[in-house]
Amino acid sequence: MSIYLVHGFRWARNDVRVHVVLQEVDDAAPNNLMSGDSEEAMNDNFRDLYPNIMDKLPGLRFIEPLNPNTEKFKYPSEPFVFVADVVVQSEDYIDVVEAMNRGVRAHQWDAMADLRDQIAKEEKIAWYVVHNGDRQLAKQERLKKEQNGETSTVEDPDAVEVCSQLFFGSTALR
């Protein structure tokens, strides 16, 4: 189970699909932009379309909220993906204040706004907590750690459910 703190904006999945088809981004899987090939293909496409913007966003990532408690989890396809210039990932916790205090440079913020205006004009740029995880995988990892004599960060199996409900999707932080 991964938790991400991202600075960016949401991009509707249907708009992602249209972009991939119209721009003929053959190596991008619109239902799984977090995969290495898809992310690389989309970044290449954006560099071709928006070179001045992408010069200021060298670490652009696509982060997808995945809820392991829904049937849709069988094939990751939430209604949107996050386009992010800052990504902090954790398996356990994130010090949100510390991460946000690192800030975003003005030229980076402006570039994100320009990119957003190109692909998702109605969306706001903000900090989001995004849950991306497989509850079963988290349980397997915890059991493996316990078998190896390592302490587990989650002792109560119900805590995984609570975390999943708390962190699923996104919570905008301002």
Side-chain angles (χ1 to χ4, degrees):
M1 169 168 53
S2 290
I3 300 166
Y4 295 88
L5 176 65
V6 302
H7 177 261
F9 57 88
R10 295 185 322 173
W11 189 15
R13 183 75 62 183
N14 287 337
D15 293 343
V16 173
R17 291 181 183 114
V18 169
H19 181 92
V20 167
V21 170
L22 292 179
Q23 294 297 319
E24 298 178 3
V25 188
D26 295 332
D27 292 333
N31 289 334
N32 190 7
L33 287 184
M34 283 183 72
S35 74
D37 291 343
S38 290
E39 189 168 70
E40 184 178 338
M42 290 303 294
N43 274 310
D44 288 346
N45 176 256
F46 282 0
R47 279 190 286 276
D48 290 343
L49 293 174
Y50 318 113
N52 294 333
I53 294 172
M54 292 303 289
D55 283 347
K56 299 171 189 145
L57 300 171
L60 192 70
R61 302 267 316 270
F62 301 92
I63 304 298
E64 299 180 87
L66 300 177
N67 183 351
N69 298 321
T70 67
E71 289 298 314
K72 290 191 294 186
F73 187 72
K74 293 176 185 170
Y75 194 74
S77 188
E78 292 296 323
F80 53 83
V81 62
F82 287 89
V83 180
D85 59 343
V86 176
V87 177
V88 180
Q89 178 183 0
S90 177
E91 300 300 316
D92 299 317
Y93 62 89
I94 295 172
D95 185 332
V96 175
V97 173
E98 179 184 319
M100 290 174 64
N101 281 340
R102 291 186 210 135
V104 178
R105 296 184 193 128
H107 73 277
Q108 193 173 336
W109 183 281
D110 291 342
M112 281 300 284
D114 291 343
L115 181 60
R116 185 260 337 257
D117 290 347
Q118 296 294 323
I119 64 172
K121 196 171 195 132
E122 301 300 317
E123 292 294 334
K124 67 180 177 182
I125 297 174
W127 288 94
Y128 296 90
V129 173
V130 182
H131 173 250
N132 174 295
D134 179 340
R135 189 172 128 202
Q136 192 62 28
L137 180 61
K139 183 178 180 181
Q140 290 170 356
E141 289 174 358
R142 178 175 45 83
L143 292 173
K144 185 177 175 183
K145 283 182 180 182
E146 289 172 358
Q147 289 173 350
N148 291 333
E150 301 172 29
T151 59
S152 174
T153 56
V154 179
E155 296 298 329
D156 181 0
D158 292 333
V160 174
E161 175 69 23
V162 169
C163 288
S164 180
Q165 290 174 6
L166 287 174
F167 291 108
F168 167 67
S170 64
T171 304
L173 301 173
R174 295 180 190 187

